[in-house]
């Protein structure tokens, strides 16, 4: 099972690297907070909370998370702690 977890961690890192390369500077739909943006913010917040794989250190993803997590709607739905 350890090899399975290692493989899944590598796959997750590869997907995060891909997102880092593909992520538009203004979000997925410029000028809008789209369902795609909500999905990515939720996923990155969950990764921060549970820490199954590290995602920090990717400048575009970090800037995206910083920009969109400051939204009142995101702040209002953050888990406590």
């Amino acid at each position: 099972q350890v090899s399975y977890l290692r493989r899944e961690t590598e796959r997750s890192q590869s997907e995060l690297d891909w997102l880092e390369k593909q992520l538009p500077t203004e979000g997925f739909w410029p000028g809008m907070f789209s369902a795609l943006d909500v999905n990515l913010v939720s996923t990155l917040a969950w990764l921060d909370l549970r820490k199954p794989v590290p995602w920090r250190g990717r400048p575009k993803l970090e800037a995206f998370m910083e920009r969109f997590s400051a939204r009142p709607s995101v702040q209002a739905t953050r888990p406590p702690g």
Side-chain angles (χ1 to χ4, degrees):
Q1 187 175 12
V2 172
S3 63
Y4 168 77
L5 293 175
R6 184 176 24 252
R7 186 173 61 245
E8 290 305 308
T9 298
E10 290 170 1
R11 184 180 307 179
S12 296
Q13 291 299 318
S14 175
E15 291 166 355
L16 288 164
D17 290 342
W18 182 85
L19 275 169
E20 175 68 17
K21 290 176 189 169
Q22 301 298 319
L23 184 65
T25 305
E26 297 298 319
F28 291 104
W29 191 340
M32 301 285 291
F33 188 48
S34 73
L36 295 169
D37 300 314
V38 171
N39 190 0
L40 185 53
V41 166
S42 299
T43 299
L44 295 176
W46 184 85
L47 290 173
D48 271 345
L49 181 67
R50 299 293 180 201
K51 302 187 183 346
V53 293
W55 69 271
R56 296 278 181 184
R58 293 173 175 89
K60 281 182 161 181
L61 287 176
E62 286 191 7
F64 174 89
M65 184 62 167
E66 183 177 328
R67 182 173 55 253
F68 285 108
S69 64
R71 293 180 59 88
S73 59
V74 175
Q75 291 289 319
T77 59
R78 290 181 78 150

